Amino acid sequence: MAVQPYLVFDGNCEDVLSFYENVFGTEAKRMTFGEAPPHPDHPLPEEAKSRIMHANLEVEGTTLMFSDTFPGTPYAPGSAISLALVGSDVDKLRSYFEGLAVGGTVTMPLQETFWSKLYGQVRDPFGIDWQISYSEQ
């Protein structure tokens, strides 16, 4: 299991990734919103298609994770960071999620997504945003 910093940007994540790739001499893995499977009930606005939905970059043994906001989402530069807790023990992940939610706010219930069999988002009682995600690795 790992806790990884997750940095969020407002439409300029591609520029951020290019900058960090150059600085650290490594290449990020990226996926845009436009590359995600379409959802028939929620068509993707044109301005969202090129934004980064998820990216990760290895820097000296630490995985940094990145994304852009969805167009129209409120954004405050420099404050959009969450901690991503990634692991393969479903029971532990559920327990962590439930514990963080006590006195906090569930922003996305734990559920299966197209990228993970278990994923959810919660803001703990101290205002820290967490992403809980299953990964077999």
Side-chain angles (χ1 to χ4, degrees):
M1 213 172 270
V3 176
Q4 301 165 328
Y6 203 111
L7 306 168
V8 180
F9 299 90
D10 192 26
N12 63 334
C13 189
E14 182 61 44
D15 296 335
V16 171
L17 290 170
S18 295
F19 175 79
Y20 287 147
E21 285 173 327
N22 185 51
V23 168
F24 297 113
T26 185
E27 189 173 331
K29 296 177 185 169
R30 313 160 155 74
M31 179 181 196
T32 64
F33 284 102
E35 293 171 316
H39 191 291
D41 298 331
H42 303 285
L44 192 62
E46 193 61 38
E47 64 271 21
K49 291 181 180 177
S50 64
R51 286 184 175 222
I52 301 294
M53 180 178 168
H54 177 75
N56 62 344
L57 181 74
E58 296 292 325
V59 177
E60 298 296 335
T62 296
T63 300
L64 300 177
M65 299 180 357
F66 302 82
S67 72
D68 275 317
T69 59
F70 199 77
T73 303
Y75 178 78
S79 66
I81 184 171
S82 61
L83 298 176
L85 181 55
V86 180
S88 60
D89 185 327
V90 170
D91 293 332
K92 245 187 201 182
L93 291 170
R94 286 186 191 282
S95 175
Y96 290 152
F97 186 89
E98 291 165 6
L100 290 165
V102 173
T105 305
V106 172
T107 53
M108 181 179 177
L110 279 174
Q111 59 192 281
E112 185 170 341
T113 64
F114 72 86
W115 67 85
S116 176
K117 77 177 197 178
L118 188 68
Y119 178 82
Q121 298 176 5
V122 61
R123 177 170 290 147
D124 72 22
F126 304 100
I128 303 299
D129 291 325
W130 292 83
Q131 298 181 55
I132 307 299
S133 186
Y134 173 85
S135 175
E136 291 182 10
Q137 299 178 19

